[in-house]
Amino acid sequence: TCGICVEKCPFDAIEIINLPQELQDDPAHRYGENAFSLYGLPAPQEGQVTGILGPNGIGKTTAVRILAGELEPNLGRHEESPGWDEVLEAYRGTELQDYIADVRDGEVTVARKPQYVDQIPNSFDGNTRQLLERTDERGELDSIVDRLEIGPVMDQSIDDLSGGELQRVAIAATLARDTDFYFLDEVTPYLDMSQRVTSARLIRELAEKEDKSVLVVEHDLAILDLLADTLHVAYGEPGAYGVITPPKSVRNGINEYLSGYLDNENMRIRPNPIEFEEHAPRTETHGDTLVEYPALTKSYGDGEFTLEVESGRIRENEVLGIVGPNGIGKSTFAKLLTGNLESDSGAADLDLDISYKPQYVTIDQHMRVDAFLSSITDQFGSSYWNTEIAQPLQLERIMEQNLSDLSGGERQRVAIAACLSDSADLYLLDEPSAHLDVEQRVQATSAIRRYAEQQDATVMVIDHDIYSIDLLADRLMVFDGEPASHGRAGTPQPMRDGMNDFLANLEVTFRRDERTSRPRINKPDSQLDKQQKADGEYYYAP
Ligand code: ADP
Ligand code: ADP
């Protein structure tokens, strides 16, 4: 072998001459002989938000540990560490020179938001206020708490926060600190669209107004596009090696990533492009009605929260997207459908078997993945199941692992597989995109779509990632109202009408990227933004 790869040559070529240019140079770091190697490093810049886009397991954490001064890079010489002076020499003349000099001199301080916020309660006892007060180094905490709407949970114990609340508390705790370098590993999981946009704006303001360096890893492409000034694409063979490209413009970086081909690197990273096209609406005759439900209402307690559901019809064999803010009654509606909850007026009376994947995946028994999945379906291991479920969800590699040892993204994929493997009349998935990288989102999305088509299954998907919803859904159900107070569920609509409804509530418009047709968020009050609002075309503008 050429000494780079552990198992097999990912390029089907042993000759060095066929390897991409980056791999012919020394890596920034190699953990050991035949161990993971990282090529290239992201270059944080003062006053800018730098993004990294790529799969998990490709060395992003390794890169950040280097930039934080926690890990001394060995330039591939794992036997004798070269030391920071030589590392600085190796980066002389690059964008990283000044930054590495500061790291060497111990002058870089770092604030970091971890990827899996669900684990924060394991390491902190106390309430939100106690956690956040310790981080108020810039005197901005009150304003951040206000804009992220954390106020209502300030006196709540960290143990009792939902995933979406924990995510916002973790973002606030990171942004409130006064350091040179901020790293946020995934901003959006469990946040709704408006919370995503607010978080992106807060992060941008920190970089712009305070002249800080911010590095983000983010898999929601619409938000990454809004958030970052420059972008490094990361590619390679997870677990074997990773390459971080030099910085690209955000637009080019995302477009090249989606196209599967990196222009400057002359590198194909995926056989097929990921394409966004406006959905040809399914004809009314297609798909019989699976269920028709009347107008429903449901309130909790003494009317602290009230939900009104417009009557509607769910078709057989469709993927129905569900969008709307957190706390607006989406799960309540799901429970009315499943009969887990009784409505106050209007009878749902559905008599349907529903297979449900909750937003917060809690499978963590001491059981192997294969044992768990084979307990759900006797199709487990059949060639059909392998092709339609295991492969697109990349389960083969983790079949022998224990559920309790899985990462958040792995757990998510197992939960999606479990939901689809059950036999049911209706499949309901709440935020399947959380913690999946872009590639995994696209694969999971097409697995869900194919499953609906081939099994004549009806699927409802709640998600806040607008690209996932665009790729996935045939029709859209929009929730609006006042979170935690009153919600209204609209009847299922065609995609264009649904997106217009949803985005009008948020006052966000999208334009189409000329090269890839990828939707991009317009700058508020730009010419296009005003025009599209006037035309009522928020998403699928011509
Ligand atoms: P990412 O953040 O992109 O998910 P990481 O930087 O955490 O990736 O890890 C990249 C690879 O390096 C993984 O295959 C991981 O197993 C390996 N790795 C991480 N830390 C070590 C270490 N201390 N020793 C050996 N291998 C490691
Ligand atoms: P979503 O799924 O859109 O995030 P939910 O349906 O979970 O929203 O919740 C809507 C509102 O109802 C929230 O304010 C939530 O706190 C409240 N709520 C949910 N379940 C209960 C319950 N069992 N008792 C009282 N309030 C509840």
Side-chain angles (χ1 to χ4, degrees), residues 303-370:
E304 285 129 45
F305 177 80
T306 315
L307 174 68
E308 277 176 69
V309 181
E310 219 175 270
S311 64
R313 202 157 61 87
I314 301 170
R315 293 181 191 150
E316 275 178 14
N317 189 12
E318 77 171 334
V319 180
L320 181 61
I322 298 181
V323 292
N326 284 329
I328 204 73
K330 300 184 298 298
S331 321
T332 301
F333 173 68
K335 286 179 197 149
L336 293 173
L337 284 189
T338 57
N340 283 347
L341 201 63
E342 211 166 301
S343 56
D344 300 338
S345 74
D349 193 22
L350 291 180
D351 198 25
L352 292 176
D353 280 337
I354 300 192
S355 176
Y356 178 50
K357 186 205 78 69
Q359 182 175 29
Y360 309 117
V361 175
T362 50
I363 43 165
D364 53 4
Q365 302 102 300
H366 260 290
M367 191 183 210
R368 271 172 46 160
V369 172
D370 47 8

Side-chain angles (χ1 to χ4, degrees), residues 8-26:
K8 69 174 179 65
C9 180
F11 306 98
D12 293 313
I14 307 262
E15 289 170 74
I16 294 280
I17 200 148
N18 286 342
L19 289 173
Q21 185 59 43
E22 283 87 351
L23 299 195
Q24 296 178 34
D25 300 335
D26 287 333

Side-chain angles (χ1 to χ4, degrees), residues 322-433:
I322 298 181
V323 292
N326 284 329
I328 204 73
K330 300 184 298 298
S331 321
T332 301
F333 173 68
K335 286 179 197 149
L336 293 173
L337 284 189
T338 57
N340 283 347
L341 201 63
E342 211 166 301
S343 56
D344 300 338
S345 74
D349 193 22
L350 291 180
D351 198 25
L352 292 176
D353 280 337
I354 300 192
S355 176
Y356 178 50
K357 186 205 78 69
Q359 182 175 29
Y360 309 117
V361 175
T362 50
I363 43 165
D364 53 4
Q365 302 102 300
H366 260 290
M367 191 183 210
R368 271 172 46 160
V369 172
D370 47 8
F372 172 66
L373 290 172
S374 61
S375 74
I376 292 171
T377 174
D378 49 19
Q379 290 288 303
F380 177 84
S382 70
S383 68
Y384 176 80
W385 191 87
N386 285 340
T387 316
E388 299 299 330
I389 305 272
Q391 270 168 26
L393 294 171
Q394 297 167 29
L395 298 180
E396 279 113 337
R397 278 203 226 160
I398 54 170
M399 280 296 181
E400 292 173 13
Q401 290 188 32
N402 254 310
L403 292 172
S404 49
D405 295 336
L406 299 180
S407 73
E410 290 164 346
R411 198 167 296 189
Q412 184 71 266
R413 273 140 50 209
V414 172
I416 295 170
C419 177
L420 294 179
S421 296
D422 218 348
S423 86
D425 305 309
L426 183 62
Y427 297 83
L428 176 60
L429 297 113
D430 195 346
E431 204 175 347
S433 72

Side-chain angles (χ1 to χ4, degrees), residues 31-32 35-37 55-63 65 115 185 238-240:
Y31 279 113
F36 181 84
S37 312
N56 289 321
I58 210 83
K60 295 176 305 245
T61 310
T62 303
R65 289 183 59 216
Q115 183 175 23
D185 195 349

